[in-house]
Amino acid sequence: GAVVSQHPSRVICKSGTSVKIECRSLDFQATTMFWYRQFPKKSLMLMATSNEGSKATYEQGVEKDKFLINHASLTLSTLTVTSAHPEDSSFYICSAPSHLAVAKNIQYFGAGTRLSVL
Amino acid sequence: GEDVEQSLFLSVREGDSSVINCTYTDSSSTYLYWYKQEPGAGLQLLTYIFSNMDMKQDQRLTVLLNKKDKHLSLRIADTQTGDSAIYFCAENTSFQKLVFGTGTRLLVSP
């Protein structure tokens, strides 16, 4: 089946540095991808919709300048956490909708990236 | 806005049935989903149901949907220790966007 690859799986960085997380659709194209954030023992919150060839659409309350999203190709979206601070520590997960017309309602999720900012 | 609500915790014994409940918010959602998340891992889609269905069964999993009450449930028959995880329901409120429930932690004891 379709697979979404996300890496790194875990990153630890110093406060003030920037971290890039990649989300790739393997063997299928994704014009749209989604980025979610999950706080410990909490649910997933949609951060933004990544659109290939155009600007990302951010959810209310998500800082565009803090979380930069680039959907450079039909198989790759990146999330860059700029000038990371400890409060940005979280589990970030991406997803891509199925490329099959009969399964457009299905989304494939990456394995997630755990970001720890010291 | 309103949250998609789930009970926080459920504990069952191996071999019993588990029922996880969810109250969603958007009556126009066309699909409703159940995902499983094991510790430190991403999300695994377990099953989904189209909004014009009342029930869907897939092996040990049975999904019941009550649109009038906006209530969704997941029944796991013959629950195993490997079923221990967090279960999220989710609804699609607009084009392919998912809103997740608060999550139910299922603990299966031998």
Side-chain angles (χ1 to χ4, degrees), chain B residues 37-52:
Chain B
Q37 185 179 36
E38 299 190 50
L43 296 178
Q44 175 192 354
L45 176 64
L46 291 177
T47 187
Y48 65 93
I49 188 168
F50 188 51
S51 60
N52 69 352

Side-chain angles (χ1 to χ4, degrees), chain A:
Chain A
V3 173
V4 171
S5 172
Q6 184 175 343
H7 75 91
S9 57
R10 173 131 201 191
V11 58
I12 301 172
C13 69
K14 292 182 180 179
S15 189
T17 59
S18 294
V19 174
K20 181 186 283 188
I21 302 169
E22 293 188 349
C23 181
R24 293 181 186 274
S25 57
L26 303 183
D27 299 326
F28 73 102
Q29 294 180 339
T31 55
T32 301
M33 292 185 180
F34 300 93
W35 286 97
Y36 295 84
R37 180 174 181 176
Q38 185 179 30
F39 291 98
K41 300 189 191 308
K42 296 289 185 183
S43 187
L44 287 82
M45 301 296 294
L46 178 65
M47 298 174 65
T49 304
S50 175
N51 304 299
E52 189 269 335
S54 64
K55 292 182 181 179
T57 307
Y58 290 81
E59 296 300 302
Q60 192 172 8
V62 177
E63 298 178 60
K64 299 177 184 181
D65 296 331
K66 160 67 83 174
F67 300 102
L68 298 180
I69 291 172
N70 183 25
H71 199 137
S73 76
L74 287 170
T75 59
L76 174 64
S77 174
T78 60
L79 168 67
T80 301
V81 183
T82 62
S83 186
H85 288 94
E87 58 267 29
D88 298 324
S89 298
S90 197
F91 193 56
Y92 294 88
I93 309 178
C94 68
S95 73
S98 172
H99 59 300
L100 299 174
V102 294
K104 281 293 186 187
N105 62 302
I106 301 298
Q107 288 201 31
Y108 302 108
F109 281 81
T113 298
R114 184 162 304 282
L115 171 63
S116 301
V117 184
L118 304 178

